[in-house]
């Protein structure tokens, strides 16, 4: 092994060996994959264990993203900002056994429920930091004004739960539980109308799972260093980054050549009318580009503001998606790009701006705008249809009761492209989570699922058809607070090259009559109306409602836009091809069976 280490180190300064480049890319990705498996297996929350709303990645000593597994792109592009912030904050004061915790958008976070755990990796000889491992997980409740910590009505960040710039959750190997309780329970409850974390036991357990996942990554990195030597490992870490940079430069040259121009532009609007505008100027000789978001709307008095780190996540995702190459998503994808974001806009909000919707909704619209500018794909559903419900926390009397929160994102239709149909019923672009198993949902929470199916014909019509959205209907078996945070309820996902738009989404409250609500009148004149049963109420894209026992929420998600002018003779054939079901077992139980069969 020493001979191999010495031979490989002599390649420094030369072009990388293509076989070793592929080997190290896969070794680095396998570290992130192993971290993810550890986190899933040791977590207990539905959000992380079942929905897989987490990411794990490996970072260079300077905080740049080196490699990741195919987790949540919105996490991966922004985690680098968090690692760099902590590195700058602590400098050389970090020591072995330290683990850092952060979620603040100001410190490289996305939105507050996404908590990042960062662990430095030290060289066993020099005691210098040689890598960072990091994991980010969406926690179902971190306090705030509503259960689930994704309030559709929030107007500042204090209403969205605990905000942590930096907290050394493990100091020299000692877990600081008292500090965690202060940050997660005591501090958020000081804001008027807000509660602390409603289920701190689950959150604490999942944070420990993240710490363990990072430690797993450290063990595997040290194994790679033992195999090849630190010099070779770090050399190929930078080669991988350079390879991604070169790939994006070639992509930009190709785009300019195919478009016949070096100037690209696109604009789209949020449901409230706020514009997201992009102008791209490509330098073909250098293979670089300026992406200028000048013209984007001002900061919003609402929660659709997106931190700068989220904008970079969306851009790096788009660059990687347009590459027809099997390379890890890493910081090299951003090197040829100069991303310019106007200050005080909704893409560069103030320190106290609400942001919980920017990470999950505005980010989707940024992706659509980038892909539109590059003429790559029609609009996808542009939404994640964020549903939260729960109970407990601080009541109107100021007293706090134990509670719980549930959070899920709901699939829709993806946009079509110049040679493919959109996909129906998927989490699109930078979310990449999945829906929880219905058996686990109904067993753990007082709800019943009545419908979950494709929303047929909701995709745009065209030569290449947009994917269909879904229909999901839940009945609540006891009274609880229910919130929906969604987009594309007033502006359809557009088609491209003459393709039709996808259908708008819709959220409907099916309300049962109740005497306490005045729905059961005593006047005989209205008895006939009362006997007609439940009312159907459109609650709009962003709402929070107290739903009583027996009430239902019907969510119809948007379809994707189509590409190209329709060819009527082909429609029947396309419909059969697109909507033909191909069933296979999925979910945590099926995955566990597969894993066992693999041994």
């Amino acid at each position: 092994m020493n001979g191999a280490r010495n031979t490989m180190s002599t390649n420094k300064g030369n072009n990388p060996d293509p076989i070793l480049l592929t080997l190290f890319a896969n070794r680095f990705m396998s570290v992130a994959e192993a971290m993810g498996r550890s986190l899933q297996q040791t977590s207990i929350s539905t959000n992380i264990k079942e929905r897989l709303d987490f990411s794990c990645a490996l970072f260079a000593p300077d905080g740049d993203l080196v490699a990741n597994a195919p987790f949540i792109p919105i996490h991966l592009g922004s985690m680098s900002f968090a690692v760099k912030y902590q590195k700058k904050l602590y400098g050389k004061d970090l020591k072995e056994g330290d683990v850092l915790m952060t979620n603040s958008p100001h410190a490289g976070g996305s939105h507050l429920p996404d908590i990042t755990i960062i662990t430095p990796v030290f060289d066993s000889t020099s005691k210098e930091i040689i890598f960072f491992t990091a994991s980010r997980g969406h926690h179902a409740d971190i306090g705030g004004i509503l259960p689930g910590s994704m309030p559709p009505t929030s107007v500042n960040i204090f209403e969205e739960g605990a905000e942590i710039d930096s907290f050394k959750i493990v100091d020299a190997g000692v877990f600081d539980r008292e500090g965690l309780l202060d940050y997660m329970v005591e501090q958020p409850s000081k804001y008027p109308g807000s509660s602390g974390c409603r289920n701190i036991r689950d959150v604490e357990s999942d944070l420990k799972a993240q710490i363990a996942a990072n430690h797993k990554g450290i063990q595997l990195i040290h194994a790679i260093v033992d195999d090849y030597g630190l010099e070779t490992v770090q050399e190929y870490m930078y080669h991988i980054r350079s390879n991604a940079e070169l790939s994006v430069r070639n992509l930009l040259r190709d785009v300019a050549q195919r478009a016949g121009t070096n100037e690209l532009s696109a604009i789209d609007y949020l449901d409230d009318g706020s514009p997201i505008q992009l102008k791209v100027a490509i330098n073909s000789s250098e293979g670089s580009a300026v992406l200028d978001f000048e013209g984007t709307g001002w900061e919003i008095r609402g929660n659709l503001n997106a931190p700068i780190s989220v904008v970079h996540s969306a851009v790096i995702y788009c660059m990687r998606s347009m590459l027809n190459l099997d390379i890890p998503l890493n910081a090299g994808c951003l090197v040829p790009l100069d991303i310019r974001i106007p200050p005080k806009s909704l893409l560069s909000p103030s320190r106290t701006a609400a942001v919980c919707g920017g990470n999950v909704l505005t980010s989707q619209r940024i992706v659509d705008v980038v892909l539109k500018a590059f003429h790559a794909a029609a609009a996808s559903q542009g939404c994640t249809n964020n549903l939260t419900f729960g109970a407990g926390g601080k009541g109107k009397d100021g007293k706090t009761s134990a509670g719980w929160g549930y959070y899920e994102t709901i699939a829709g239709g993806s946009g079509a492209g110049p040679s493919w149909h959109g996909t129906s019923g998927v989490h699109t672009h930078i979310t990449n989570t999945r829906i929880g198993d219905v058996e686990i949902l109904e067993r753990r929470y007082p709800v019943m699922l009545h419908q979950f199916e494709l929303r047929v014909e909701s995709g745009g019509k065209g030569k290449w058809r947009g994917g269909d959205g879904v229909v999901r209907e839940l009945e609540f078996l006891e009274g609880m607070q229910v919130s929906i945070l969604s987009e594309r309820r007033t502006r359809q996902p557009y088609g491209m090259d003459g393709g039709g738009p996808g259908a708008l989404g819709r959220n409907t409250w099916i309300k049962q009559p109740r005497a306490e609500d005045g729905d059961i009148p005593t006047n005989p004149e209205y008895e006939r109306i009362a006997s007609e049963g439940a009312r159907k109420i459109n609650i709009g894209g962003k709402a929070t409602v107290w739903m009583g026992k027996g009430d239902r929420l019907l969510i119809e998600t948007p379809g994707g836009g189509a590409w190209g002018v329709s060819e009527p003779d082909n429609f029947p054939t396309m419909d059969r091809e697109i909507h033909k079901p191909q069933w296979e077992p999925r979910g945590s139980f099926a995955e566990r069976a597969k894993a066992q069969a693999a041994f």
Side-chain angles (χ1 to χ4, degrees):
M1 185 58 66
N2 289 337
R5 181 185 301 124
N6 293 335
T7 300
M8 286 182 285
S9 66
T10 61
N11 290 330
K12 187 175 182 181
N14 300 326
N15 292 328
D17 183 307
I19 295 176
L20 283 177
L21 189 67
T22 303
L23 184 149
F24 274 103
N26 283 280
R27 285 293 296 266
F28 288 146
M29 285 191 288
S30 71
V31 171
E33 289 172 353
M35 291 170 63
R37 284 194 297 271
S38 171
L39 178 51
Q40 183 187 10
Q41 290 167 357
T42 55
S43 61
I44 64 171
S45 71
T46 302
N47 227 39
I48 293 179
K49 196 174 195 70
E50 308 298 334
R51 289 189 55 251
L52 308 183
D53 197 345
F54 66 85
S55 296
C56 301
L58 181 61
F59 296 85
D62 61 2
D64 277 346
L65 176 64
V66 173
N68 62 276
F71 295 116
I72 316 298
I74 193 65
H75 292 168
L76 297 165
S78 60
M79 284 169 71
S80 177
F81 283 80
V83 175
K84 290 180 177 180
Y85 183 93
Q86 301 302 319
K87 182 178 184 298
K88 182 179 179 180
L89 183 66
Y90 284 92
K92 295 183 177 294
D93 292 337
L94 291 173
K95 54 189 178 296
E96 285 193 74
D98 286 351
V99 182
L100 308 175
M101 171 178 164
T102 180
N103 71 343
S104 172
H106 173 72
S110 44
H111 61 180
L112 299 184
D114 286 344
I115 298 178
T116 306
I117 298 295
I118 301 167
T119 309
V121 183
F122 291 88
D123 180 46
S124 56
T125 303
S126 67
K127 303 303 179 182
E128 295 290 325
I129 294 176
I130 56 174
F131 286 96
F132 287 93
T133 58
S135 55
R136 177 173 288 182
H138 185 112
H139 295 261
D141 193 283
I142 56 159
I145 59 175
L146 289 174
S149 305
M150 290 285 288
T153 57
S154 59
V155 296
N156 61 60
I157 200 164
F158 308 112
E159 296 179 335
E160 297 179 350
E163 181 187 11
I164 303 164
D165 270 14
S166 182
F167 166 48
K168 195 176 283 189
I169 189 170
V170 179
D171 189 350
V174 180
F175 183 78
D176 185 358
R177 187 171 191 273
E178 293 302 316
L180 178 66
L181 293 177
D182 181 61
Y183 274 114
M184 298 298 296
V185 180
E186 299 301 328
Q187 296 300 325
S189 64
K190 292 179 180 178
Y191 188 81
S194 289
S195 298
C197 177
R198 294 169 178 83
N199 192 354
I200 187 61
R201 291 174 61 187
D202 281 7
V203 172
E204 180 183 353
S205 181
D206 282 352
L207 289 173
K208 289 179 177 178
Q210 287 182 246
I211 294 169
N214 285 9
H215 183 67
K216 178 68 173 180
I218 292 172
Q219 292 176 317
L220 294 174
I221 291 168
H222 280 148
I224 297 173
V225 171
D226 289 343
D227 285 346
Y228 298 98
L230 178 60
E231 183 180 13
T232 299
V233 170
Q234 291 196 325
E235 177 187 347
Y236 274 87
M237 173 185 73
Y238 290 109
H239 282 320
I240 290 168
R241 201 157 60 182
S242 298
N243 186 45
E245 175 189 344
L246 178 62
S247 300
V248 171
R249 291 189 187 277
N250 290 334
L251 168 70
L252 294 171
R253 294 186 182 103
D254 182 59
V255 167
Q257 183 179 5
R258 285 188 287 109
T261 177
N262 288 16
E263 302 288 335
L264 311 173
S265 63
I267 188 170
D268 197 9
Y269 300 86
L270 299 174
D271 279 359
D272 69 357
S274 297
I276 296 177
Q277 186 167 344
L278 173 65
K279 293 179 181 178
V280 182
I282 300 175
N283 184 326
S284 298
S285 60
E286 295 182 357
S288 61
V290 175
L291 281 75
D292 192 347
F293 286 91
E294 187 65 41
T296 295
W298 298 115
E299 179 181 311
I300 297 171
R301 187 185 181 274
N303 54 37
L304 294 187
N305 303 292
I308 289 176
S309 62
V310 168
V311 181
H312 283 73
S313 288
V315 171
I316 193 175
Y317 162 78
C318 291
M319 294 300 115
R320 176 60 187 87
S321 297
M322 289 187 285
L323 289 174
N324 190 23
L325 296 169
D326 186 16
I327 62 171
L329 184 151
N330 63 61
C333 295
L334 287 177
V335 173
L337 307 178
D338 178 6
I339 301 173
R340 300 178 181 177
I341 302 171
K344 300 181 180 179
S345 69
L346 66 93
L347 303 184
S348 180
S350 61
R351 177 75 185 259
T352 59
V355 296
C356 70
N359 178 61
V360 290
L361 301 179
T362 308
S363 61
Q364 293 277 355
R365 202 60 55 87
I366 297 169
V367 169
D368 279 342
V369 168
V370 174
L371 295 180
K372 184 180 183 181
F374 280 82
H375 206 66
S380 291
Q381 68 160 335
C383 183
T384 47
N385 308 289
N386 304 268
L387 174 65
T388 54
F389 52 83
K394 187 184 293 184
K396 294 181 180 179
D397 57 1
K399 295 181 179 179
T400 301
S401 61
W404 54 274
Y406 174 80
Y407 170 71
E408 70 179 22
T409 55
I410 305 173
S414 71
S419 61
W420 67 86
H421 299 298
T423 305
S424 299
V426 292
H427 283 79
T428 56
H429 293 311
I430 49 180
T431 45
N432 199 37
T433 53
R434 75 179 185 195
I435 203 77
D437 295 340
V438 60
E439 296 86 357
I440 292 174
L441 172 69
E442 294 184 340
R443 182 174 182 176
R444 293 188 180 181
Y445 304 99
V447 297
M448 181 183 295
L449 184 67
H450 284 268
Q451 288 188 75
F452 189 38
E453 60 189 22
L454 289 180
R455 188 186 177 195
V456 179
E457 300 299 322
S458 58
K461 293 180 173 59
K463 180 179 180 180
W464 302 100
R465 181 169 182 146
D468 288 337
V470 304
V471 178
R472 189 166 175 86
E473 183 180 1
L474 292 153
E475 178 182 349
F476 302 95
L477 305 182
E478 62 183 50
M480 67 184 76
Q481 196 72 34
V482 180
S483 303
I484 185 76
L485 180 57
S486 58
E487 274 280 304
R488 293 290 192 198
R489 267 52 181 177
T490 64
R491 295 177 185 270
Q492 292 175 275
Y494 53 80
M496 294 280 283
D497 274 14
L504 291 171
R506 182 169 55 195
N507 308 317
T508 305
W509 176 18
I510 303 174
K511 185 185 185 306
Q512 301 298 330
R514 280 182 291 275
E516 59 268 30
D517 296 336
D519 291 331
I520 304 178
T522 56
N523 191 327
E525 182 180 345
Y526 298 105
E527 286 183 0
R528 180 186 61 80
I529 298 175
S531 66
E532 292 178 357
R535 298 154 54 198
K536 292 186 177 180
I537 305 169
N538 186 335
I539 60 175
K542 300 163 187 67
T544 181
V545 179
W546 176 264
M547 294 199 179
K549 181 179 180 180
D551 286 358
R552 300 185 187 186
L553 181 61
L554 174 64
I555 302 169
E556 298 165 277
T557 69
W563 185 288
V565 179
S566 61
E567 299 176 6
D569 292 341
N570 293 339
F571 266 149
T573 303
M574 282 197 300
D575 283 350
R576 285 196 296 271
E577 290 175 354
I578 294 170
H579 298 299
K580 182 179 179 181
Q582 295 185 352
W583 185 87
E584 63 176 17
R586 297 181 63 189
S588 57
F589 296 113
E591 287 181 356
R592 183 179 179 185
K594 278 185 180 179
Q596 289 174 336
F599 282 104

